[in-house]
Amino acid sequence: MQERIAELRAAGEAAVAAATTTDELEELRVAHLGRKAELPNLLRDVSKLEPAERGIVGKAANQARQALQAAIDARVAELKASELDAQLIADRVDITLPGKAEPVGGLHLLTRVRRDIEDIFLGLGFDIVEGPETETVHYNFDALNHAENHPARDRADTFYLAPSPHLDGDVQRLLRTHTSPMQVRHMERAEPPVAIVVPGRVYRPDSDATHTPQFHQVEGLWIDTDTTLADLKGVLLSFARAIFGPDREIRLRPHFFPFTEPSVEIDVSCHLCGGTGTLKDRSRCPLCKGTGWIEILGSGMVDPNVLAAVGRPEFDPEKVQGFAFGMGIERIAMLRYGLSDLRPLYENDVRLLEQYA
Amino acid sequence: MRVPIRWLGEYVALDGRDATEVAARLNVTGTELDRLVHHGVETPEKIVVGRVLTCEPHPDADRLRVTTVDIGAEEPSQIVCGAPNVAAGQTVGVATVGAVMPGGMKIKKAKLRGQASVGMICSARELGIGEEHDGILALETVLPGAADVAPGTPLTDVLAHADDVLDLEITPNRPDCLGLYGIAREVAAATGASLRPAPWTAAGAAEQGSTAEEGEDAAAVDPRGEAIDGFSLEVTTTRCPRFTLRLFQDVVVGPSPLWIQARLSAAGQRPINNVVDITNYVMLVTGQPLHAFDADRVAGGSLTIREAVDGEQLETLDGTTRTLKAGELVIDDADGPTSLAAVMGGARSEVHEGTTRVLLEVASWDGPTIHRTAHRLDLFSEAASRNAKGLAPEQVDWAQALASRLLRETVGATRVGGTLSAGTWNSAVVQPPLAVRESRVERLLGTAVSRPRQTELLDALGFGVTDAEPDAPAGTGTLQVVVPAERRADVTREVDLIEEIARLGVVADLEPTLPTRRRAAAARLTPAQRARRRVEDVLVGRGLQEVVGWSFTDAGAAGRLELPEGDPRAAAVVLDNPLSEDQAVLRPSMLVSLLDIARHNRTRGVDDLRIFETGTVFRDAPDPVRADMPYEHLAVAALVQDDVFAAKGLLEALLGALRIDDWALHATDEVQFLHPGRAARITVGAGDDAPTIGLLGEVHPRVADRWDLPRVATFLIDLDRLLPLVPDARTFRPVGAFPDARFDLAVLVADDVTAAKVVAVARKAGGALLEDVRVFDSYRGKGVPEGQVSLALHVRLRAADRTLTDEEIGGAREQIVAALAEQVGGVLRG
């Protein structure tokens, strides 16, 4: 009996070693270890043997069966590995062929710059509010301390809306010429201290390479009991460095705006020539025109008349004070991305937009 | 404002500071330089005095002459000259070889019709000192003693003809800087240079080597009184605070002296005649406009300043008949209107060649009134724009004094009588001084400025400063400040004086600080702002390019969208003063700008367009928040060159990303610009009255065709309605540790049963175990009876606390099948 077991085991092992495919091995498994195979049947019949032989034969048969199973498993693993190798070779592709096309979208440059500006001012402690694009003369000019004969009110500088039979009230309506109306609108409903920036679309009847009849601004307003011109400088210096680089300096240049007093324009040291006015090749810097400075925005301390126009004791100009500023998003975009003409931004040729996306 | 630097130097000691240096200081103290220009010959050192020795006709050219000119060299120069008035013996200005003339022409050695020519004899215009260009400028006609000047002398030594000119941008609050003396004061304050006495004072006249006679010192009252024989004056409006007249006789109208012409030319004013030139010259120095009447053409010798009657007409100096409005100002003489006051004189009383008596008007006006008139008639002359600022009545005296002296000195005129005056202005009323608290200066600027320093800065600008308590400790004192007349309109409050202190003494080296945010809430985007960014980012992530379109469109846009006239969406907000017909109204729908942009890109060969925009749209209807203003709201719209399901896929992605679950589509064929069979309203919320937040659909082929577009699909969403519905936070529910059970069903239903209805029925029937049910296929055709559709549903069941048994799964399936049969007539297939 034991000889027979040894024979079966040897024959099985030889056949397994000779097998060349996993299918063949499956056939061998059925032939040698399946229900009808001899070896398992030997094991099944062990109980019929003499008690003395049972242990010996059973053990041998079991060992033979396990050995054969192990041999098959090992051979299967071996063959699978080489079959996979062969498959991988057959699957080889030209990896330089194009990938599956995925459409690539992008934000418009103006949105990207607006978000950058918003994020910088969020970091400096400003909230973000937005306001209407159609406005009244009151919020756009009167409450902002524009004299009755201030040229910005002229029809050459402001889009007025035609009278409408559908609207109540005898007010003169316009498209806001700046985001500044939100200064007073916000103070009418908020409590001091106030720290806001107001991004949004504004309108003026201008049309050339650097002026479009619609453009975008970001207004800033900070009102508290002790906000100073030095604070304005600190905030705008931080902003300028965030946008134009850590080495930038700013300069306050006195100016006039009806709604701030004192008023200053802010120049940032030129990021192209490093503020020297001269490029490496010793030519005059084309961006700052050799001056080393670039005007980026207008600002100042909020005029007491603007605070008074709010008409609330909380904004009594003897008690609270602060600064305001307004910048053009297009202007920042032009300076940062080297645009010389604004009009393509509104033509929206996607091939151009994608370059900035 | 053009400021010739040499002329400026007459009023402030520049001490060698050149135009660039002066401009740089002005630039950082509040007077911005628009540009620095050079007036006249570019190379003044190349222009010398010459004497014409010989002058012969050109042998081969009738109009040319061949001259020899002594220009101080060893040999005379031969110069070919085309001027008819050139003659031997003249003293002339010669542009020598190498000179660069105004406009850039360079003088070279040349041959003209065979004759050598080494230089050019100059006309007044070529030298930039006047208008004359019919012949060369013979210096002896304009310059006493010219015949004695040695040839070869630089012309600049005897005649100021070229200058650097600062073109300054004067801010609207500083009409005092619309006069050269005002600029001089700024320069003095900004640079520390010393200001010379004003030219309208006795000291100023002396400074210029002249003597002020009676009435020529504005610091003193005219000793000749307030009457002029034969002339009368009346002001019947409060809009003219002060009107004055002086009379001059023995006037001979002719060209001005060359120095006046040169200065006017450099300042950008065309010389006209000696009388008009003086009015312009004095205006440029004082900032105060003047007007000269021919005294003998002022009918009745009487002038009345009054408000116009609505509709009355007047012929102005330029020959145009103007129709006036009530409240505008006119000047009458005995024959009626003669001038549009402060804006433009009348033709009838204009100074002309034969004028011998001049009546000189200097007046101050209500600025806004003049501004309105000038603006309405588009007549912003140098005079009108200054008068529109509302100048100080005191400036009237400056102009009368200086003009009187110049008329006497350069025209030889004699003044007759005193100064006729009228108007509401009362010189006796003195403005009280303004107080400047030292503490306030520091509180506003963030840096301390001592009272002595404040005093020094204000003093340089002409303010009268008194320190009432010089011993008050630092930080506690107060200055009392008297505002000079020319600054009275601009400086009316403490803060205005603090601005003066700041711009001259503080801003240049202010140390930056940062304000403290005292609100105990972190600065961050609002939920709506975050949601808007999410909207944009989701669409970008789906491969859409954001665009920024025009808020403007033309009045026909609503019609091109096929919106009938009464449709609320067709009611566009109309601009009163549009730039063009293409931009005459505000866009009533974002679709307009998206279609425009799509067409723009299609015509440039871009295919497979996928774009979106967020922005404001407008409607001529009351805004829900501001009833007196047009309705405007924030919208997002997408446009893809594809079918409605492409747009719907984007919409699903968008609303899914915003975590809005309870939205639904309601098919509609009532949106004129959308395909009637492929369009829907989008609602959010439960129930039939859930608010519509937008539209989805394929653009109507007729509309798309109008924009030269193939099939495009769109969705348009009102973000003002949608964003507030976006949940800011959401509680998570566990995914469940137990496996789900899935099965598919194919149901035949009638054609008009929507997929949404089938899903809703299945969801309800599935009960608590149903986790998800969705349609994954819709089939019509072979095997499906006509009028029916086969919908394939994918159903997923799950329980949180157990593995579902076969019985539970089978039960749910049966419930769903039964409900479909009962409620939508669904028949299970296969």
Side-chain angles (χ1 to χ4, degrees):
Chain A
M1 189 67 87
Q2 279 171 326
E3 288 82 47
R4 183 61 190 152
I5 292 170
E7 267 174 42
L8 286 171
R9 176 178 175 171
E13 281 175 348
V16 166
T20 57
T21 69
T22 48
D23 291 345
E24 216 176 299
L25 281 169
E26 180 58 19
E27 284 167 24
L28 287 173
R29 191 190 63 74
V30 173
H32 292 273
L33 299 173
R35 272 185 170 283
K36 294 173 185 168
E38 193 179 346
L39 193 58
N41 285 324
L42 277 176
L43 260 173
R44 229 168 279 136
D45 293 342
V46 161
S47 56
K48 296 176 188 163
L49 294 176
E50 290 300 312
E53 276 186 63
R54 281 182 199 164
I56 297 159
V57 173
K59 192 179 176 189
N62 207 29
Q63 278 174 345
R65 198 187 55 127
Q66 283 173 358
L68 210 48
Q69 183 66 52
I72 291 172
D73 288 350
R75 185 66 184 148
V76 164
E78 212 174 287
L79 285 177
K80 270 195 174 161
S82 59
E83 277 173 8
L84 182 62
D85 285 345
Q87 183 65 46
L88 292 180
I89 288 164
D91 285 349
R92 178 174 293 168
V93 296
D94 175 0
I95 199 68
T96 65
L97 286 169
K100 276 189 187 161
E102 284 289 330
V104 176
L107 290 175
H108 194 280
L109 178 64
L110 290 174
T111 301
R112 286 167 46 94
V113 176
R114 192 195 73 216
R115 285 193 186 183
D116 280 353
I117 295 171
E118 287 176 352
D119 291 346
I120 291 165
F121 283 111
L122 282 169
L124 288 165
F126 290 78
D127 300 312
I128 295 172
V129 298
E130 283 138 309
E133 294 176 23
T134 56
E135 263 300 354
T136 61
V137 167
H138 170 76
Y139 284 108
N140 200 74
F141 292 128
D142 297 346
L144 294 172
N145 198 39
H146 282 59
E148 198 193 330
N149 53 348
H150 192 277
R153 295 174 182 256
D154 294 350
R155 288 167 63 84
D157 293 300
T158 299
F159 285 114
Y160 288 91
L161 304 185
S164 163
H166 303 117
L167 303 180
D168 299 341
D170 183 25
V171 291
Q172 206 180 1
R173 304 178 186 93
L174 45 77
L175 289 177
R176 64 176 174 186
T177 60
H178 44 193
T179 39
S180 314
M182 274 307 286
Q183 287 188 20
V184 173
R185 280 191 181 278
H186 187 74
M187 287 189 282
E188 282 177 346
R189 65 187 187 210
E191 303 304 316
V194 160
I196 55 166
V197 289
V198 187
R201 185 174 290 190
V202 300
Y203 304 86
R204 289 179 201 175
D206 276 332
S207 192
D208 60 39
T210 55
H211 298 88
T212 44
Q214 72 182 26
F215 57 105
H216 298 81
Q217 283 190 338
V218 177
E219 188 80 6
L221 177 72
W222 192 304
I223 301 288
D224 203 338
T225 54
D226 55 358
T227 314
T228 67
L229 187 68
D231 291 338
L232 169 69
K233 186 173 184 182
V235 163
L236 293 177
L237 178 62
S238 308
F239 167 77
R241 287 180 174 170
I243 285 276
F244 295 110
D247 300 331
R248 300 278 67 79
E249 293 297 334
I250 63 166
R251 158 173 102 165
L252 275 56
R253 199 158 35 70
H255 197 68
F256 169 75
F257 303 109
F259 38 134
T260 47
E261 188 87 346
S263 301
V264 286
E265 288 195 314
I266 302 293
D267 295 344
V268 61
S269 60
C270 180
H271 54 283
L272 189 62
C273 62
T276 61
T278 315
L279 298 182
K280 276 186 186 138
D281 64 3
R282 314 192 85 180
S283 65
R284 193 179 81 142
C285 175
L287 191 60
C288 64
K289 303 195 169 55
T291 63
W293 295 99
I294 301 169
E295 181 190 324
I296 55 165
L297 59 89
S299 63
M301 299 302 290
V302 175
D303 194 289
N305 290 351
V306 175
L307 296 170
V310 175
R312 297 175 61 198
E314 294 89 333
F315 289 92
D316 177 352
E318 275 294 309
K319 292 182 189 145
V320 296
Q321 60 182 42
F323 60 76
F325 57 83
M327 70 183 79
I329 295 180
E330 279 83 351
R331 173 146 186 86
I332 303 293
M334 284 177 99
L335 291 171
R336 237 179 58 166
Y337 294 91
L339 301 175
S340 57
D341 190 341
L342 283 182
R343 289 169 294 198
L345 289 179
Y346 293 112
E347 279 172 10
N348 293 289
D349 188 317
V350 296
R351 293 165 303 182
L352 183 87
L353 295 182
E354 280 164 3
Q355 295 175 41
Y356 292 109
Chain B
M1 173 82 188
R2 283 171 61 105
V3 179
I5 197 79
R6 205 156 39 205
W7 188 0
L8 179 71
E10 193 166 289
Y11 309 124
V12 57
L14 293 178
D15 299 329
R17 293 178 182 89
D18 66 8
T20 312
E21 221 177 320
V22 170
R25 280 303 299 164
L26 286 177
N27 204 38
V28 293
T29 52
T31 313
E32 199 169 346
L33 179 74
D34 198 20
R35 62 204 175 114
L36 181 60
V37 291
H38 181 82
H39 177 77
V41 177
E42 304 278 339
T43 51
E45 70 283 358
K46 297 273 189 188
I47 310 292
V48 299
V49 173
R51 190 149 294 118
V52 183
L53 301 177
T54 64
C55 176
E56 305 292 338
H58 192 293
D60 299 316
D62 290 347
R63 296 198 175 166
L64 298 180
R65 286 170 179 76
V66 181
T67 67
T68 53
V69 183
D70 178 1
I71 58 165
E74 277 181 27
E75 293 287 322
S77 304
Q78 174 166 308
I79 296 174
V80 176
C81 179
N85 67 332
V86 66
Q90 283 174 335
T91 304
V92 293
V94 177
T96 57
V97 170
V100 181
M101 305 307 289
M105 182 184 74
K106 196 171 177 185
I107 303 298
K108 298 175 194 152
K109 280 186 188 170
K111 266 194 176 173
L112 288 154
R113 293 281 179 102
Q115 295 291 320
S117 184
V118 286
M120 182 175 81
I121 304 176
C122 300
S123 72
R125 194 160 87 191
E126 280 159 348
L127 291 172
I129 52 177
E131 285 294 297
E132 188 57 46
H133 193 53
D134 290 341
I136 53 98
L137 176 70
L139 293 176
E140 54 274 10
T141 62
V142 293
L143 204 64
D148 303 327
V149 179
T153 305
L155 184 61
T156 46
D157 288 3
V158 294
L159 181 68
H161 68 89
D163 205 353
D164 286 329
V165 180
L166 305 176
D167 199 346
L168 299 173
E169 186 191 309
I170 306 300
T171 54
N173 62 324
R174 295 298 304 274
D176 61 303
C177 286
L178 295 174
L180 274 168
Y181 192 75
I183 300 283
R185 191 185 291 110
E186 273 299 306
V187 171
T191 63
S194 62
L195 184 68
R196 299 202 168 101
W200 50 79
T201 61
E207 179 83 23
Q208 291 170 1
S210 170
T211 309
E213 295 193 350
E214 281 182 342
E216 294 173 6
D217 177 6
V221 176
D222 183 6
R224 296 200 190 173
E226 295 199 342
I228 305 172
D229 269 357
F231 287 87
S232 65
L233 172 66
E234 192 185 4
V235 174
T236 66
T237 169
T238 56
R239 301 182 192 206
C240 174
R242 194 173 186 212
F243 193 98
T244 66
L245 290 170
R246 283 185 180 184
L247 179 65
F248 300 84
Q249 64 182 26
D250 306 329
V251 171
V252 180
V253 174
S256 287
L258 208 55
W259 65 271
I260 289 186
Q261 292 196 43
R263 285 184 170 182
L264 289 179
S265 300
Q269 284 273 338
R270 195 163 60 89
I272 295 167
N273 63 47
N274 50 4
V275 174
V276 174
D277 288 355
I278 284 174
T279 63
N280 284 331
Y281 183 92
V282 172
M283 176 181 73
L284 291 177
V285 175
T286 61
Q288 167 68 51
L290 310 84
H291 180 71
F293 292 93
D294 182 325
D296 296 308
R297 292 188 176 185
V298 174
S302 75
L303 290 178
T304 303
I305 294 85
R306 63 171 175 86
E307 294 183 18
V309 181
D310 211 20
E312 83 172 274
Q313 295 193 321
L314 165 72
E315 187 183 338
T316 44
L317 225 150
D318 56 358
T320 311
T321 300
R322 315 269 179 185
T323 306
L324 303 184
K325 292 204 158 177
E328 296 184 333
L329 301 177
V330 286
I331 304 179
D332 280 350
D333 62 11
D335 288 349
T338 175
S339 286
L340 186 52
V343 176
M344 190 176 256
R348 190 150 53 81
S349 53
E350 196 182 349
V351 169
H352 57 102
E353 275 179 24
T355 297
T356 60
R357 294 206 303 163
V358 165
L359 195 59
L360 191 67
E361 166 207 323
V362 186
S364 63
W365 307 91
D366 173 56
T369 303
I370 306 307
H371 180 88
R372 266 196 305 276
T373 308
H375 189 248
R376 187 177 70 80
L377 300 172
D378 198 19
L379 279 175
F380 274 107
S381 61
E382 292 275 338
S385 39
R386 283 173 173 82
N387 282 325
K389 305 287 184 195
L391 303 176
E394 286 88 340
Q395 287 180 250
V396 166
D397 292 325
W398 311 348
Q400 284 289 15
L402 181 56
S404 297
R405 179 156 69 84
L406 290 174
L407 280 167
R408 175 175 60 80
E409 288 177 346
T410 69
V411 181
T414 314
R415 189 153 79 93
V416 184
T419 308
L420 211 48
S421 295
T424 51
W425 180 61
N426 181 355
S427 62
V429 176
V430 180
Q431 302 288 330
L434 299 174
V436 180
R437 292 165 288 177
E438 196 183 342
S439 60
R440 184 78 187 164
V441 175
E442 180 169 2
R443 189 180 136 194
L444 202 63
L445 303 181
T447 187
V449 185
S450 73
R451 294 200 306 284
R453 175 67 176 147
Q454 293 181 25
T455 305
E456 181 190 1
L457 295 167
L458 292 172
D459 188 59
L461 289 166
F463 292 90
V465 187
T466 319
D467 189 347
E469 295 172 87
D471 298 330
T476 65
T478 301
L479 297 180
Q480 298 295 326
V481 182
V482 176
V483 179
E486 72 276 10
R487 298 299 306 281
R488 203 184 292 132
D490 174 36
V491 179
T492 58
R493 304 163 301 173
E494 180 183 41
V495 68
D496 301 323
L497 288 165
I498 296 176
E499 166 162 64
E500 300 296 318
I501 294 164
R503 72 183 176 93
L504 287 174
V506 171
V507 300
D509 43 24
L510 184 60
E511 278 300 319
T513 53
L514 282 174
T516 309
R517 184 177 164 100
R518 293 208 179 87
R519 183 182 292 275
R524 65 179 307 213
L525 295 175
T526 63
Q529 288 163 348
R530 284 199 296 277
R532 177 185 168 172
R533 284 198 184 186
R534 184 93 177 108
V535 165
E536 293 164 344
D537 291 342
V538 165
L539 293 174
V540 165
R542 289 296 184 287
L544 272 69
Q545 172 65 47
E546 188 196 18
V547 296
V548 174
W550 291 106
S551 292
F552 309 104
T553 185
D554 66 288
R560 285 199 302 283
L561 291 181
E562 310 228 323
L563 291 169
E565 218 155 280
D567 191 298
R569 278 182 296 256
V573 176
V574 179
L575 297 186
D576 210 24
N577 53 333
L579 274 186
S580 69
E581 285 306 310
D582 287 347
Q583 302 191 330
V585 306
L586 300 179
R587 59 180 171 191
S589 163
M590 198 83 95
L591 189 57
V592 177
S593 47
L594 281 183
L595 289 171
D596 287 345
I597 290 165
R599 169 166 57 193
H600 181 86
N601 280 283
R602 281 273 298 177
T603 56
R604 277 155 186 76
V606 177
D607 225 334
D608 189 28
L609 209 61
R610 299 162 65 83
I611 55 176
F612 78 99
E613 176 174 6
T614 58
T616 308
V617 295
F618 307 83
R619 191 176 297 172
D620 186 22
D623 190 85
V625 195
R626 308 176 299 159
D628 56 347
M629 295 302 286
Y631 175 46
E632 57 173 271
H633 71 263
L634 188 67
V636 62
L639 186 84
V640 290
Q641 197 176 313
D642 207 329
D643 68 4
V644 68
F645 288 106
K648 186 179 174 186
L650 290 170
L651 179 68
E652 286 167 345
L654 181 63
L655 296 175
L658 294 177
R659 302 175 182 282
I660 289 180
D661 298 328
D662 53 344
W663 63 280
L665 292 181
H666 309 270
T668 173
D669 57 3
E670 288 173 357
V671 181
Q672 287 84 351
F673 50 81
L674 296 179
H675 187 309
R678 298 182 166 205
R681 288 186 300 115
I682 309 163
T683 60
V684 176
D688 291 339
D689 54 350
T692 297
I693 56 113
L695 297 169
L696 165 77
E698 280 172 27
V699 174
H700 196 294
R702 211 160 41 226
V703 173
D705 193 51
R706 249 173 231 134
W707 270 270
D708 306 317
L709 293 171
R711 181 177 62 182
V712 286
T714 184
F715 63 77
L716 308 155
I717 292 177
D718 181 341
L719 286 179
D720 283 352
R721 289 190 190 168
L722 177 70
L723 296 183
L725 303 175
V726 174
D728 196 31
R730 155 185 276 216
T731 48
F732 287 87
R733 42 160 219 247
V735 174
F738 294 92
D740 59 11
R742 307 167 187 202
F743 56 87
D744 295 344
L745 295 172
V747 208
L748 280 173
V749 291
D751 238 351
D752 57 353
V753 175
T754 65
K757 178 73 181 165
V758 169
V759 165
V761 167
R763 171 164 293 138
K764 197 160 176 227
L769 294 182
L770 190 117
E771 189 175 66
D772 188 43
V773 55
R774 62 184 62 201
V775 173
F776 68 91
D777 191 29
S778 155
Y779 175 71
R780 285 181 178 83
K782 201 176 166 216
V784 175
E786 185 70 22
Q788 295 199 359
V789 61
S790 167
L791 294 175
L793 299 180
H794 185 73
V795 182
R796 197 166 74 226
L797 308 175
R798 195 195 297 271
D801 55 353
R802 62 186 190 279
T803 301
L804 294 173
T805 63
D806 288 349
E807 290 70 32
E808 284 176 309
I809 296 165
R813 190 175 187 280
E814 275 166 30
Q815 281 174 34
I816 291 171
V817 170
L820 289 173
E822 189 180 321
Q823 294 175 41
V824 294
V827 176
L828 212 54
R829 274 184 95 203

